[in-house]
Amino acid sequence: MDAAPKFDGTPACLILFLEDVDAIADHAILTDGQQIKAALRYAPIMEVETWKMLDKAALPDWKKFIAAVKLLYPRCEGNCYCTHADLKNLCAEQVRVPMTSQEELSQYYHKFFKISRHLIMKKKLT
């Protein structure tokens, strides 16, 4: 892994973040307690404050810790992480922020495609 794990606080990114922390822990041969500390170190401060309040954060058990964290992000797993509200919010945000480059257009299209395609595949958007 070339970079530190990153988590932006959104449910869709939680699993990737936890997998990255897991990969680092495997590589560094960390204990469960050290792995929890690593997750707390790389997560955004607002998330860390909440995660530290979890009873499972005090235990040196990575699996119990991530199970408790996942409960805070109901849409982090499974096939239901994209909603109509996500698509509507993305479009509304983009209306407020004009695109000034091909790169910005590409970033928007990537997000739009991901959400809309998921909704179409789940027959929640036609």
Side-chain angles (χ1 to χ4, degrees):
M1 175 169 275
D2 295 334
K6 291 185 179 26
F7 177 52
D8 64 5
T10 62
C13 294
L14 178 65
I15 300 303
L16 292 175
F17 172 77
L18 295 173
E19 288 173 354
D20 287 348
V21 172
D22 215 21
I24 287 172
D26 286 347
H27 182 72
I29 312 171
L30 299 180
T31 65
D32 280 8
Q34 291 169 323
Q35 194 166 353
I36 292 168
K37 286 181 182 179
L40 294 172
R41 178 178 179 166
Y42 292 114
I45 189 69
M46 295 302 290
E47 306 303 314
V48 171
E49 291 173 358
T50 304
W51 295 3
K52 283 183 175 179
M53 291 181 210
L54 297 169
D55 293 335
K56 305 297 183 197
L59 303 173
D61 188 322
W62 174 248
K63 290 184 191 287
K64 288 180 181 179
F65 172 74
I66 61 172
V69 168
K70 287 178 184 178
L71 289 175
L72 298 172
Y73 305 88
R75 296 180 347 183
C76 72
E77 291 187 291
N79 295 326
C80 61
Y81 68 91
C82 293
T83 66
H84 282 270
D86 293 328
L87 188 59
K88 185 177 179 179
N89 290 338
L90 174 65
C91 293
E93 176 65 25
Q94 196 55 56
V95 167
R96 288 193 301 271
V97 181
M99 289 179 256
T100 58
S101 70
Q102 189 72 26
E103 182 179 340
E104 289 174 353
L105 173 61
S106 176
Q107 289 172 355
Y108 168 75
Y109 178 75
H110 180 79
K111 291 175 189 175
F112 181 87
F113 180 81
K114 179 181 172 185
I115 295 169
S116 63
R117 190 70 185 139
H118 173 80
L119 293 172
I120 290 168
M121 288 172 33
K122 296 298 172 188
K123 300 188 184 332
K124 295 182 179 184
L125 183 68
T126 56

